[in-house]
Amino acid sequence: MSEAGGGPGCGFPVPQRAPWSLVAATAALCLVSATSVWTAGAAPMSREEKQKLGNQVLEMFDHAYGNYMEHAYPADELMPLTCRGRVRGQEPSRGDVDDALGKFSLTLIDSLDTLVVLNKTKEFEDAVRKVLRDVNLDNDVVVSVFETNIRVLGGLLGGHSLAIMLKEKGEYMQWYNDELLQMAKQLGYKLLPAFNTTSGLPYPRINLKFGIRKPEARTGTETDTCTACAGTLILEFAALSRFTGATIFEEYARKALDFLWEKRQRSSNLVGVTINIHTGDWVRKDSGVGAGIDSYYEYLLKAYVLLGDDSFLERFNTHYDAIMRYISQPPLLLDVHIHKPMLNARTWMDALLAFFPGLQVLKGDIRPAIETHEMLYQVIKKHNFLPEAFTTDFRVHWAQHPLRPEFAESTYFLYKATGDPYYLEVGKTLIENLNKYARVPCGFAAMKDVRTGSHEDRMDSFFLAEMFKYLYLLFADKEDIIFDIEDYIFTTEAHLLPLWLSTTNQSMSKKNTTSEYTELDDSNFDWTCPNTQILFPNDPLYAQSIREPLKNVVDKSCPRGIIRVEESFRSGAKPPLRARDFMATNPEHLEILKKMGAASSIDAEDGLRFMQEMIELSSQQQKEQQLPPRAVQIVSHPFFGRVVLTAGPAQFGLDLSKHKETRGFVASSKPYNGCSELTNPEAVMGKIALIQRGQCMFAEKARNIQNAGAIGGIVIDDNEGSSSDTAPLFQMAGDGKDTDDIKIPMLFLFSKEGSIILDAIREYEEVEVLLSDKAKDRAAILKGKMIPSYIINSNPEMENEEQPSSENDSQNQSAEQMTSISQEIDLIDQESLEETSLNSHPESLSPADTDNAASVSPSEQNSNPAENHETTSLDGECTDLDNQLQEQSETEEDSSPNVSWGKKVQPIDSILADWNEDIEAFEMMEKDEL
């Protein structure tokens, strides 16, 4: 599968449709060759120390699993700080994070095959009996299709796979008669209604009892899903079909994958993060290998491994070529735009991309795997854990760490591929940090902030399903495991599926439907095992030579760059362009910029260093100007202060943190961009003007609406699909001139948040908002107004009470209107939400889990916002990299000035229905980001 595949040595040809047993055997020979190369020159860890660390992992698992069973079971998860179970509906909602919870003893099911891997067969047998006796899959709960598939369906299938293995051995599970498989089949049928879309992409959520769209289902109104959510089904669904003979599951999963493949951006061969499940349009057009996309790539390669269908490998290779062309900027992996893949979409990386080095090992591309893994390890050594997101200069962007296992996964695969004992030391560090910083009396607690070491009352099921499995296997010898782990493939949740499924119940056509490739390196399609003599040169210090230049990368040291500069001077060549010397008016400098990243590897390295220098330079100049986020609160009917949108501040105009909030109705300015004298001053007089971003400086827009009599301004991003849940805090900078003449407050909203206001105007005409430094108490906002009391009190139990009546002539709401309000608010209150401000967290970053959140509440903020925010923009209007060029340029225009903001957007009732799923998660993101 690699460039070395066709060469001598371990270049054994593999038939395209060979049973995977042959492929696995060939790969094993390759790994043996690789390992022999590495261990020849490295001092291996003693067997005694490996056994000691393995036993330590077993004790840690016992501590986590034992406390779950004692204090939480049959709840879904353990709350380790309060020593009790987390039951959905009984704890304050955390938004999307809670979509994994279905009242089906999630942690127990997710841990089943871990028990066998750790040689706890008696505990496994007891756990299976508990699952069969206690778990109910028919609960009236809305769950994530993605999470339920990988954790519950995968857990049941992994448990079944090892149960039949143990039964065949003759000592344990002799009573077992495929009961877990029958539960898995029941769950599979419960998930199938989610696929009832014209595209074949599943809805992101489903009600376990009522399915989709029924009134009692409380779901089915969503229009978007993440790529990983729709593309991470094939292993579990195909395994279910192969185990049971029911082909429908594999057919549905294949159809979803086929649709995603057809919708890839054809010129770049990249896919976006979020897609409309009905139209197939990309909602978020940024692309990377982290949250929202990650396991889509993983499942393409592993589907080939498990099912033997070469079309999956061809698709993976096509995507992988694009990833290495555009996203990979060693050692970084940075998101880009699918239509403009040479343009970075953000300046930070999320923790979920830590799985990618492990996937590269399976692909056979070892060098970049070593580089990225080492970079991540340096970040961990600095912060003890991998932050949920960190910037390209390795500062914390999102500070929490929910004990994610992806880095441990890549560490395991790199060790298995190389045999380098360095990775055993990495694993030892992970064990020490978990025990030192995350261990609490009732288990292991997620880190609320890796900088302060604060905890969160959370221990996700994936911690037991994956972390302990990979750590134990890292230190275990073959004789320490009671079965051959090489006979199985890991799902994205580390559940084990047997490779013999590739030859069982093969009812699907193997016809290769892959087409329309861009021209690729032929080596991507070699049907051979990687040639280890080329992948791993006969040099015991090979891996060390790759890692060494990255040892100080987190501390801003770049030995290779320094050496190159010195060599350049000695050879008479011009030294690389430095950020501090750059001038936008210098044609030679502009020409050098064009070459960076587009020509040789040296130019690419110069580009990366220049980018980092520019970020640092910008950061230094902005440090004193960082401002916390502001709030736009919709206070008119039917919102009544319930909707709080996170807004970016301006470095000019009225400071809302020092002055009273500004309240008023909103009105669109004409022209929309606000770059000239307004033609509708009477419409914005005494109101808050809405302006489109682009085509002129922010300060100019502010002056124009102020001259028209506006009392405030909201600038809405014209980059369709942008959202505060995926972008760092945005600050509007001045124009380099004196801005003391601007007296009104100015705030910035990303496209998604801005569309909520625009949609509300279309629906209700009169929309009143409050501009403030943080969300205000609704009781104060609505004082003197006739509104349902439960809206103020946030008490869902009061919804069904009779609404108060009044003969007050000033009340402009009829009984019919009040009923409508109650119905709309009911959509929000159904999840028993404690908080009322909108918040978001791309859990996604679970994975994934990057659902489209609408807004965030800035009500609670960290005291050090400057630590985490990169004020970024692509059009030069904010205080970012491009702002360094403003003094050299007379004017800057937006890169997409013709974007219309009058396009059809999601109906307001659909938006209201979506908000209830994002509320708590939004707040979590903001607290940690700031």
Side-chain angles (χ1 to χ4, degrees), residues 385-407:
F385 298 98
L386 196 61
E388 277 292 76
F390 53 94
T391 63
T392 53
D393 55 350
F394 308 109
R395 292 184 295 118
V396 172
H397 186 67
W398 292 331
Q400 69 270 33
H401 172 75
L403 307 181
R404 293 199 183 278
E406 285 77 16
F407 181 77

Side-chain angles (χ1 to χ4, degrees), residues 389-574:
F390 53 94
T391 63
T392 53
D393 55 350
F394 308 109
R395 292 184 295 118
V396 172
H397 186 67
W398 292 331
Q400 69 270 33
H401 172 75
L403 307 181
R404 293 199 183 278
E406 285 77 16
F407 181 77
E409 174 186 358
S410 288
T411 303
Y412 165 70
F413 280 113
L414 271 169
Y415 177 67
K416 295 300 290 184
T418 66
D420 189 344
Y422 176 83
Y423 296 108
L424 296 177
E425 296 296 334
V426 173
K428 181 179 179 180
T429 299
L430 298 182
I431 292 173
E432 292 173 347
N433 288 350
L434 284 170
N435 280 318
K436 184 175 182 180
Y437 301 108
R439 186 165 181 145
V440 294
C442 282
F444 291 83
M447 306 305 296
K448 185 69 174 175
D449 192 315
V450 297
R451 298 160 301 182
T452 64
S454 58
H455 288 126
E456 187 175 358
D457 200 5
R458 169 183 180 183
M459 189 178 79
D460 291 83
S461 68
F462 55 67
F463 182 58
L464 285 83
E466 300 183 68
M467 180 69 82
F468 295 114
K469 195 175 293 174
Y470 287 124
L471 287 177
Y472 181 75
L473 290 172
L474 177 64
F475 297 104
D477 291 325
K478 191 169 185 178
E479 56 268 27
D480 296 327
I481 308 171
I482 63 175
F483 63 99
D484 190 351
I485 198 73
E486 304 298 338
D487 290 338
Y488 297 81
I489 189 170
F490 291 101
T491 69
T492 194
E493 190 78 1
H495 293 307
L496 296 171
L497 299 177
L499 293 171
W500 53 257
L501 288 174
S502 63
T503 57
T504 303
N505 290 325
Q506 298 183 63
S507 59
M508 299 302 301
S509 169
K510 296 281 188 71
K511 181 179 180 182
N512 183 354
T513 58
T514 303
S515 60
E516 297 187 43
Y517 296 103
T518 57
E519 184 160 347
L520 301 174
D521 189 330
D522 289 341
S523 64
N524 276 336
F525 298 93
D526 284 335
W527 297 94
T528 59
C529 172
N531 181 346
T532 58
Q533 290 188 5
I534 298 177
L535 280 178
F536 316 114
N538 195 13
D539 177 5
L541 299 179
Y542 174 66
Q544 182 180 343
S545 68
I546 297 175
R547 293 191 297 261
E548 192 62 33
L550 303 170
K551 292 294 185 183
N552 299 314
V553 66
V554 173
D555 297 321
K556 303 277 192 243
S557 177
C558 188
R560 280 197 300 179
I562 295 173
I563 293 172
R564 276 189 43 221
V565 171
E566 293 174 349
E567 291 176 347
S568 296
F569 277 122
R570 287 197 297 268
S571 64
K574 291 184 178 181

Side-chain angles (χ1 to χ4, degrees), residues 98-156:
D98 283 342
D99 284 345
L101 311 181
K103 298 182 179 178
F104 35 38
S105 301
L106 176 62
T107 298
L108 181 63
I109 293 177
D110 223 0
S111 304
L112 287 177
D113 51 7
T114 304
L115 289 166
V116 183
V117 171
L118 273 56
N119 200 13
K120 296 180 179 294
T121 48
K122 185 180 184 301
E123 290 89 340
F124 171 73
E125 191 160 2
D126 292 340
V128 172
R129 292 185 185 276
K130 284 185 172 65
V131 170
L132 300 179
R133 182 191 68 201
D134 300 335
V135 172
N136 177 23
L137 297 176
D138 196 40
N139 299 311
D140 181 12
V141 180
V142 176
V143 296
S144 162
V145 172
F146 167 79
E147 297 290 354
T148 304
N149 172 66
I150 66 171
R151 300 201 204 188
V152 186
L153 183 58
L156 293 171

Side-chain angles (χ1 to χ4, degrees), residues 850-871:
T850 47
D851 284 328
N852 299 319
S855 56
V856 294
S857 168
S859 57
E860 295 187 32
Q861 301 172 3
N862 188 285
S863 60
N864 189 11
E867 172 74 11
N868 297 309
H869 282 295
E870 294 293 317
T871 54

Side-chain angles (χ1 to χ4, degrees), residues 299-357:
Y299 270 38
L300 284 177
L301 180 56
K302 290 184 176 180
Y304 165 70
V305 173
L306 183 65
L307 307 178
D309 187 339
D310 57 316
S311 67
F312 290 127
L313 179 61
E314 294 181 24
R315 293 180 189 183
F316 172 79
N317 281 326
T318 302
H319 285 312
Y320 187 77
D321 179 82
I323 291 169
M324 300 310 290
R325 285 174 186 265
Y326 306 121
I327 296 171
S328 177
Q329 302 176 34
L332 309 179
L333 291 164
L334 291 175
D335 284 18
V336 299
H337 296 275
I338 60 176
H339 295 96
K340 297 180 180 179
M342 301 305 295
L343 187 63
N344 288 337
R346 63 189 190 188
T347 60
W348 50 272
M349 295 164 282
D350 65 69
L352 285 170
L353 61 77
F355 92 101
F356 197 67

